[in-house]
């Protein structure tokens, strides 16, 4: 895995700016790519795949131009390049049907309601990225100080035992 | 009873008198019962003088019967059938009667063949009269049934109207409640929003002053560039990044330069060359990045505060009595568009607003109509595509508002919302579309206007036509009335 990437798909520039800023503590562990809509996200995913980078986490708004966030996450779940990525639906407006679809079909890992509390957002992102790197990263050491160090060290210990 | 009947009765009475030697004339006071319904009848009663009344009991009380069908001899039918009186026969005035038992009647009839003929004739005439009356009653019953049917239909229509009125009342109550909530919310929002706008302006001034340094203009310039920058465009940032990365030789550095508002490779190279002379180039770049970001964040905060302020201003105007846009349909539609700005962000909105003469319907009611028409159309179009809003006079007597979306499928949704049954539970109303389309049509039609749906392959339009005040010069007196669904504050 060359570089870990977080995708932020949000069409409102102000909300996206705040989201990216709130994710800044993770910038040392993962590159943060921001995009406006699903089409742009698809282009970025293709570029990342070509470069060998891996999408570890997708934070996706529900009300995207032209496509609902949950439908895009379902699409990502079916795409081998992004199936393993942790998926978070960020919205204040998804209905019950959308939420059920997100859980069952997109296998979303979390649902964050807007407006979010920065502490909750960072706690969720830290836990999900930690899961991802434990499951998929060959080298865990770079993530010890940025993500959940205790769990990563346990995982390192388990790997040594194996 | 005709003269022939009276003559026959006289002949019968004379025959009975002759045969039975003038039977006793009985005098009965008013109120006396000659026959009692359901009781056995032992004698016929011939009324020689006075008036009698007939009645029969029914499920909901006694029913008075017309005596004209019976003649003046009572008890013949019971004697010939089951011997029980079919109705009650009572003296209305004092009476003079002859009572004859069946045996006495039989004896009289046997004694005088002429009496038999007269009696039979009288009996036949009585039966014929009763038969005719029965037929008349059947006709009356048919007419009554028809009348009842009409009454039932009218009642059903009245009930339907009542239900509609009830639904309108519910919608009105809901809108009134929403109005109260909006007024409360407005009060809570208004002061903080105003203070926030001023605080942001002060913050901008203070930051400008803090960065002002004649010996080092870069931080102030970065701040100002950030504040003047357009909303970040993720695609163009991604497009310029490779060239920037190539110019500076490092992707993270390229990202940092982009965050500092520098996307031109030549500019980046010059800046890095200048920074190389600084004691700590990395720290200096971080400082400039922070200045740019401060400016950009401040600009975004100002933009967001401006949006909140716009909503507060529009809402305040909507809630105030004697709205300054009364009669000005174009301004009302603009206000409604302002209130719905958050739902129009993904649509291309084209406004064509021509000055209009004042209309009849009060602004408070129309404000709800424009909100409902616009919000319903936006909802039906899924909040995407193109929205054309045209306001203008058709002629001196009519003003027209046309709201058209580019989605022809929206027509089916809007048609359902226009149905009266949708008035009480229009989903669009639940999502902030005001009183809903069905009630809006009612408001428009009440004011002498029309609200119609036009649909073709290229799109869907709701068209509202309203009579101008000049065409309907009858002034509305008193304070502006509360239309259905008007917010009360």
């Amino acid at each position: 895995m060359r570089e870990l990437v977080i995708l932020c798909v949000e069409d409102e520039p102000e909300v996206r700016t705040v989201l990216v800023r709130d994710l800044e503590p993770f910038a040392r562990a993962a590159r943060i790519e921001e995009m406006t809509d699903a089409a742009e996200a698809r282009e970025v995913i293709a570029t990342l795949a070509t470069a060998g980078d891996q999408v570890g986490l997708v934070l996706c708004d529900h009300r995207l131009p032209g496509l609902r966030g949950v439908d895009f996450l379902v699409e990502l779940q079916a795409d081998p390049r992004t199936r393993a990525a942790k998926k978070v639906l960020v919205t204040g407006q998804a209905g019950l049907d959308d939420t059920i679809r997100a859980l069952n079909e997109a296998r979303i890992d979390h649902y964050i309601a807007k407006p979010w509390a920065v502490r909750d957002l960072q706690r969720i992102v830290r836990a999900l990225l930690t899961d991802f790197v434990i499951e998929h990263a060959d080298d865990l050491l770079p993530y010890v100080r940025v993500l959940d160090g205790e769990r990563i060290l346990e995982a390192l210990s388990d790997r040594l035992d194996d | 009873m005709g003269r022939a009947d009276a003559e026959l009765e006289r002949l019968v009475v004379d025959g009975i008198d002759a045969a039975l030697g003038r039977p006793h004339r009985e005098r009965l006071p008013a109120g006396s019962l000659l026959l009692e319904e359901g009781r056995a009848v032992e004698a016929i009663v011939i009324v020689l003088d006075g008036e009698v009344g007939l009645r029969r009991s029914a499920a909901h009380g006694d029913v008075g019967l017309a005596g004209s069908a019976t003649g003046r001899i009572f008890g013949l039918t019971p004697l010939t059938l089951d011997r029980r009186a079919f109705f009650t026969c009572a003296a209305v005035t004092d009476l003079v009667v002859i009572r004859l038992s069946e045996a006495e009647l039989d004896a009289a009839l046997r004694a005088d063949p002429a009496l038999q003929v007269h009696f039979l004739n009288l009996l036949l005439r009585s039966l014929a009269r009763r038969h005719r009356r029965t037929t008349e009653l059947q006709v009356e019953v048919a007419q009554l049934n028809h009348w009842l049917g009409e009454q039932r239909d009218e009642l059903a229509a009245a009930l339907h109207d009542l239900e509609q009125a009830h639904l309108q009342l519910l919608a009105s109550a809901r809108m009134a409640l929403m109005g109260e909530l909006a007024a409360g919310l407005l009060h809570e929002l208004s002061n903080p929003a105003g203070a926030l706008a001023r605080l942001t302006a002060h913050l901008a001034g203070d930051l400008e002053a803090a960065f002002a340094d004649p010996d080092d203009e870069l931080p102030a310039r970065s701040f100002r560039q950030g504040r003047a920058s357009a909303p970040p465009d993720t695609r163009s940032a991604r497009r310029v990044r490779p060239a920037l990365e190539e110019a500076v030789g490092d992707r993270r550095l390229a990202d940092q330069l982009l965050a500092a508002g520098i996307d031109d490779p030549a500019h980046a190279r010059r800046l890095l060359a200048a920074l190389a002379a600084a004691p700590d180039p990395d720290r200096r770049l971080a400082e400039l990045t922070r200045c740019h970001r401060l400016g950009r964040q401040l600009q975004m905060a100002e933009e967001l505060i401006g949006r909140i302020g716009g909503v507060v201003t529009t809402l305040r105007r909507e809630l105030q009595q004697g709205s300054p846009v009364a009669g000005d349909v174009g301004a009302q539609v603009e206000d409604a568009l302002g209130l719905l700005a958050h739902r129009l962000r993904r649509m291309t909105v084209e406004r064509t607003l021509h000055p209009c003469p004042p209309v009849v319907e009060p602004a408070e009611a129309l404000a709800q109509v424009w909100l409902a028409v616009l919000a319903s159309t936006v909802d039906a179009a899924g909040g995407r595509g193109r929205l054309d809003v045209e306001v203008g006079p058709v002629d001196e007597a009519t003003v027209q508002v046309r709201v058209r979306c580019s989605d022809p499928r929206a027509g089916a949704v809007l048609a359902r919302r226009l149905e009266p049954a949708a008035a009480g539970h229009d989903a669009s109303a639940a999502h902030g579309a005001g009183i809903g389309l069905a009630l809006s049509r009612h408001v428009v039609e009440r004011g002498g206007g029309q609200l119609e749906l036009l649909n073709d392959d290229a799109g869907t339009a709701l068209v509202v036509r309203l009579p101008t005040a000049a065409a309907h010069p009858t002034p509305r007196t008193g304070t502006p009335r509360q239309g259905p669904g008007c917010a009360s504050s």
Side-chain angles (χ1 to χ4, degrees), chain B residues 381-449:
Chain B
R384 304 185 197 291
R386 182 186 163 103
L387 187 75
D388 288 288
V389 182
E390 296 172 15
V391 181
V394 177
D395 50 43
E396 286 183 0
T398 312
V399 164
Q400 177 176 289
V401 175
R402 186 166 170 274
V403 176
R404 187 176 188 285
C405 70
S406 52
D407 185 352
R409 292 167 302 178
V413 179
L414 293 175
R416 278 199 300 278
R417 290 190 179 174
L418 275 166
E419 289 169 9
H425 33 79
D426 187 342
S428 60
H431 289 93
I435 56 178
L437 273 190
L439 280 179
S440 294
R441 174 181 264 172
H442 174 77
V443 170
V444 169
E445 289 177 351
R446 185 189 63 184

Side-chain angles (χ1 to χ4, degrees), chain A residues 3 11-14 16-17 21 24 27 31 33-37 39-40 44 63-66, chain B residues 231-236 238 241 251-252 255 293 296-297 300 303-304 307 343 345-346 382-384:
Chain A
E3 194 170 15
D11 64 324
E12 282 198 62
E14 295 85 4
R16 193 175 60 242
T17 300
R21 183 75 194 268
E24 220 165 47
R31 194 166 99 219
E33 289 281 355
E34 44 184 308
M35 51 225 73
T36 305
D37 51 42
E40 190 183 355
V44 172
R63 293 191 67 167
L64 291 172
Chain B
D233 175 357
T234 52
R235 272 197 172 85
S236 58
R238 196 165 286 110
R241 191 163 63 190
R251 198 191 55 75
R252 283 183 182 273
D255 280 343
R293 199 158 67 178
R296 203 178 66 179
Q297 288 173 168
M300 282 182 175
E303 156 73 20
L304 295 176
R307 263 159 57 181
R343 292 159 78 169
R345 278 205 296 275
R346 294 189 180 93
R384 304 185 197 291

Side-chain angles (χ1 to χ4, degrees), chain B residues 25 62 118 144 237 344 363 397 424-425 435 444 469:
Chain B
R25 265 57 174 171
D62 286 354
H118 296 323
L144 275 172
L344 297 169
H425 33 79
I435 56 178
V444 169

Side-chain angles (χ1 to χ4, degrees), chain B residues 28-32 34 47 49-53 72 90-96:
Chain B
L28 297 173
S32 304
L34 305 184
V47 177
D49 190 28
E51 293 296 322
V52 294
R72 300 186 69 80
V92 176
T93 62
D94 290 347
L95 299 180
V96 177

